[in-house]
């Protein structure tokens, strides 16, 4: 039994589990300065003398030099394999005009002239003239190979003419259910694929073109990246067969473990056929029974109810500034039976709902399921909640539904188009995570990578300041809706672990909890908030094992 004593530390704990909501402050007791890890758990947490008395002859002693020790950070909503792929693509988020985007694409093509496809990600609608990308804009600089560019929100894909030909999309190609193929005034495809059109055409082509070896590289890339920034667990959203196989192979290469804990939600897509929809839920149930280790679990299902505000595809109760609106991807008569079936099967339900009409429908579906199935142990989730109707937080608190939110999506540097599409008083209530705190609804923070940077500390900086982590020249928004860093940390550690039912065994530095923690080189609790942008991870430990060391 291996025992390691960590000394000379500043340990962040926050309030104890079960002793109040995250808004309470920690007890007056001094922060622990030492702890002992025995095998995979914290065996002792306290002061130096107590730790040395508890473990008089440890196998190893590590002096942390007074550095800050945080509980293991869980990214409570991410897309692991997609993020690994994105890290190898052309990044376009910093390109703030069409010329910059075209320059980056031309440079990427010149750097790899033998490539048969060019993939990029992260472009913003307000970087394109009129917010209307076209295939011709890409053709000007890269026309000889297919080009696929995922939008920053990953709900749209912008392609060139060669990609349209590769996908077989013509003026006669019908729009898929829940999606749209962009077209010009003459009805010809214009290079934009929205929502399920991106999924069924661009992403399906990508999945078919990638080999297992390609996906293995992507998985190893993202596992290393997350470990290097102190993330010890993730909640993977929209898992599918190829991604699950890639994660299984990664675990097999390590004797059944991973460098971070993965809890996954199986993507269930609306097929407009109840039998097929139920079949997807049944598959998720089978996988949940098969994959239940602390390293790789299928915990539930993911339902995408609407799109995004940036693309005017989020379902809103009031139209957008241009008078348009969007229908939900899942109509109520298809959604309610699936939610009830998953709830009865003991699967956690995570529903993507960005617009207020979508989040209200999500709660209606859950209330219907609760009434149909009676009392059951459950903790379901709603993802994003960028704009929700007044009273939503209180409804979620009553139902025990977790608000899964991403502060990084509120970075002022990427909000311009979001604000323009609403252009009314709804803007003032956007990203209102303080409402969920006030209502004492469960609240978990995450990044939704690769739709946003995956670094957890920059994400928490935005939560604590409403300032931009991408570009300091942008003014802060809604300073009255910030969250103190101590509470933001709890939402990214303890509460993020609790969001998938793990509160009893991980997410805190407490005796008996899994020894998942990260050490950073700056005390972000006492330094100015801007220190969150420069602090660096120096050590990441998961289950007592070092997964990253600077």
């Amino acid at each position: 039994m291996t025992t390691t004593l960590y000394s000379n530390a500043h340990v962040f704990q926050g309030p104890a589990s079960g002793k109040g909501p995250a808004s309470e402050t920690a007890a007056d007791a001094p922060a622990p300065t030492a702890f002992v890890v025995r095998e995979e758990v914290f065996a002792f947490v306290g002061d130096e003398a107590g730790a040395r008395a508890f473990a008089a002859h440890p196998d190893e002693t590590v002096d942390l030099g007074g550095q800050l020790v945080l509980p293991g950070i869980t990214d409570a909503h991410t897309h692991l394999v997609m993020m690994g792929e994105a890290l190898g693509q052309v990044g376009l988020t910093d390109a703030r005009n069409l010329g910059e985007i075209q320059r980056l694409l031309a440079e990427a093509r010149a750097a790899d002239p033998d490539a048969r496809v060019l993939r990029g990600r992260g472009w913003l609608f307000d970087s394109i003239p009129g917010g209307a990308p076209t295939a011709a804009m890409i053709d000007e600089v890269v026309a000889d190979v297919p080009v696929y560019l995922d939008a920053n929100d990953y709900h749209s894909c912008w392609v060139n003419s060669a990609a349209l030909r590769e996908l077989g999309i013509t003026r006669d190609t019908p729009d898929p259910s829940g999606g749209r193929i962009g077209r010009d005034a003459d009805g010809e495809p214009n290079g934009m694929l929205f929502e399920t059109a991106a999924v069924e055409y661009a992403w399906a082509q990508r999945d078919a073109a990638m080999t297992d070896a390609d996906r293995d590289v992507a998985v190893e890339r993202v596992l290393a990246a997350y470990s290097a920034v102190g993330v010890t667990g993730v909640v993977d959203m929209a898992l599918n067969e190829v991604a699950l196989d890639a994660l299984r192979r990664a675990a097999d290469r390590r004797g059944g473990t991973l460098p971070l804990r993965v809890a996954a939600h199986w993507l269930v897509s609306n097929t407009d056929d109840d039998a097929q929809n139920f079949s997807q839920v049944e598959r998720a149930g089978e996988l949940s029974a098969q994959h239940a280790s602390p390293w790789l679990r299928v915990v539930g299902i993911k339902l995408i109810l609407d799109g995004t505000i940036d693309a005017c595809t989020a379902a809103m109760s009031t139209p957008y500034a241009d008078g348009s609106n969007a229908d939900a991807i899942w109509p109520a008569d298809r959604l309610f039976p699936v939610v009830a079936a998953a709830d009865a099967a003991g699967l956690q339900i995570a529903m993507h709902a960005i617009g207020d009409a979508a989040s209200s429908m999500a709660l209606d579906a859950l209330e219907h399921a609760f009434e149909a199935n009676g009392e059951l142990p459950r903790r379901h989730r709603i993802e994003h909640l960028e704009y929700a109707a007044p009273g939503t937080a209180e409804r979620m608190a009553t139902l025990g539904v977790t608000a899964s939110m991403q502060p990084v999506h509120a970075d002022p540097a990427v909000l311009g188009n979001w604000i323009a599409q609403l252009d009314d008083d709804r803007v003032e209530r956007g990203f209102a995570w303080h409402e969920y705190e006030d209502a004492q609804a469960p609240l978990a923070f995450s990044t939704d990578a690769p739709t946003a940077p995956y670094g957890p500390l920059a994400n928490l900086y935005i939560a604590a300041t409403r300032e931009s982590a991408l570009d300091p020249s942008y003014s802060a928004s809604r300073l009255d809706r910030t969250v103190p860093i101590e509470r933001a940390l709890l939402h990214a550690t303890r509460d993020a672990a609790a969001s998938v039912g793990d509160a009893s065994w991980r997410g805190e530095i407490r005796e008996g909890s899994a020894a998942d923690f990260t050490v950073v080189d700056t005390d972000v609790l006492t330094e100015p908030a801007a220190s969150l942008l420069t602090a660096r991870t120096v050590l990441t430990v998961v289950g007592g094992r070092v997964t990253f060391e600077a």
Side-chain angles (χ1 to χ4, degrees):
M1 182 177 292
T2 302
T3 299
T4 303
L5 190 156
Y6 292 87
S7 65
N8 195 13
H10 175 197
V11 178
F12 173 75
Q13 286 185 306
S17 293
K19 294 187 179 180
S23 59
E24 293 183 3
T25 57
D28 292 334
T33 57
F35 54 95
V36 175
V37 173
R38 183 162 289 162
E39 293 299 331
E40 298 185 3
V41 303
F42 293 111
F44 174 89
V45 180
D47 61 17
E48 195 103 5
R52 296 191 181 280
F54 180 87
H57 304 289
D59 297 288
E60 183 179 8
T61 299
V62 178
D63 186 331
L64 294 176
Q67 296 178 114
L68 179 65
V69 183
L70 301 174
I73 296 169
T74 293
D75 193 336
H77 181 129
T78 187
H79 304 269
L80 265 185
V81 178
M82 187 182 292
M83 181 64 208
E85 295 165 2
L87 289 172
Q89 297 172 354
V90 183
L92 301 173
T93 306
D94 292 337
R96 305 319 294 261
N97 58 63
L98 178 60
E100 278 296 291
I101 292 173
Q102 291 175 323
R103 179 184 65 80
L104 291 171
L105 295 178
E107 289 177 355
R109 182 68 183 130
D112 191 3
D114 295 328
R116 297 183 179 182
V117 64
L118 178 60
R119 298 189 186 275
R121 48 96 179 182
W123 58 271
L124 301 167
F125 277 95
D126 51 5
S127 297
I128 313 298
T134 66
M137 293 174 180
I138 306 175
D139 294 344
E140 289 179 18
V141 290
V142 181
D144 60 327
V145 296
V147 178
Y148 296 88
L149 308 177
D150 288 317
N152 193 56
D153 59 20
Y154 274 76
H155 279 251
S156 305
C157 189
W158 175 20
V159 303
N160 68 348
S161 297
L164 288 172
R165 290 192 294 271
E166 181 174 63
L167 297 172
I169 294 176
T170 70
R171 64 180 296 125
D172 298 321
T173 304
D175 291 342
S177 176
R180 178 168 61 89
I181 297 169
R183 304 176 195 274
D184 63 21
D186 296 325
E188 295 291 338
N190 67 3
M192 278 303 299
L193 304 173
F194 297 96
E195 300 301 334
T196 58
V199 176
E200 295 184 15
Y201 288 102
W203 294 359
Q205 190 281 335
R206 176 202 63 201
D207 288 346
M210 288 185 70
T211 66
D212 284 350
D214 293 331
R215 278 183 279 270
D216 288 347
V217 169
V219 167
E220 293 300 327
R221 184 188 291 134
V222 73
L223 292 176
Y226 262 131
S227 296
V229 294
V231 172
T232 62
V234 299
V235 183
D236 190 280
M237 287 290 170
L239 193 71
N240 59 19
E241 297 285 358
V242 293
L244 176 58
D245 286 344
L247 292 171
R248 282 191 293 216
R249 289 193 299 273
D252 288 344
R253 290 193 292 272
R254 296 169 170 83
T257 68
L258 289 168
L260 48 78
R261 304 184 191 277
V262 180
H265 286 77
W266 193 250
L267 178 62
V268 174
S269 300
N270 177 29
T271 64
D272 287 329
D273 181 288
D274 286 338
Q276 291 186 43
N277 293 344
F278 288 142
S279 177
Q280 295 177 77
V281 175
E282 291 171 3
R283 177 60 174 154
E286 293 170 358
L287 293 170
S288 179
Q290 294 170 14
H291 301 283
S293 84
W295 302 104
L296 179 58
R297 297 175 289 156
V298 175
V299 297
I301 65 168
K302 166 76 176 297
L303 304 169
I304 301 176
L305 302 196
D306 69 346
T308 67
I309 289 171
D310 280 282
C312 295
T313 54
M316 308 294 291
S317 60
T318 302
Y320 291 93
D322 64 2
S324 69
N325 207 337
D327 293 329
I329 294 171
W330 280 85
D333 61 343
R334 299 290 186 196
L335 176 67
F336 282 32
V338 164
V339 169
D343 179 65
L347 294 168
Q348 184 179 52
I349 301 162
M351 287 182 276
H352 166 117
I354 283 181
D356 61 332
S359 55
S360 294
M361 184 171 67
L363 291 174
D364 291 344
L366 289 173
E367 288 173 344
H368 170 267
F370 292 6
E371 182 178 352
N373 297 328
E375 292 293 329
L376 291 172
R378 50 168 71 97
R379 172 169 278 188
H380 301 311
R381 307 160 46 115
I382 297 181
E383 311 300 314
H384 309 307
L385 294 157
E386 291 187 7
Y387 178 77
T392 297
E394 289 75 14
R395 287 183 72 186
M396 292 177 66
T398 298
L399 297 171
V401 176
T402 296
S404 170
M405 304 184 74
Q406 298 75 40
V408 70
H409 286 172
D411 190 309
V414 300
L415 272 187
N417 183 66
W418 190 97
I419 292 170
Q421 300 304 345
L422 297 181
D423 196 28
D424 56 25
D425 58 5
R426 288 175 293 183
V427 171
E428 300 303 312
R429 289 196 56 257
F431 305 95
W433 43 74
H434 71 291
E435 293 184 6
Y436 301 91
E437 281 202 325
D438 292 345
Q440 297 190 21
L443 174 61
F445 281 161
S446 58
T447 67
D448 193 19
T451 73
Y454 61 92
L457 297 185
N459 189 31
L460 300 183
Y461 171 77
I462 298 168
T465 66
R466 290 277 183 162
E467 295 179 357
S468 177
L470 295 172
D471 186 340
S473 69
Y474 284 83
S475 299
S477 63
R478 295 315 305 258
L479 293 176
D480 58 325
R481 297 188 173 186
T482 58
V483 176
I485 183 57
E486 292 85 355
R487 297 211 307 264
L489 278 167
L490 289 172
H491 296 320
T493 55
R494 183 192 71 186
D495 300 339
S499 75
V500 285
D502 293 351
S504 66
W505 66 277
R506 71 180 183 98
E508 299 178 282
I509 300 178
R510 300 197 183 279
E511 292 169 9
S513 290
D516 301 352
F517 64 93
T518 184
V519 181
V520 294
D521 64 0
T522 305
D523 191 340
V524 298
L525 297 171
T526 59
E527 293 294 317
S531 67
L532 288 160
L533 299 178
T534 56
R536 295 291 178 265
T537 297
V538 297
L539 181 69
T540 306
V541 175
V542 185
R545 295 179 296 117
V546 174
T547 59
F548 172 79
E549 190 168 11

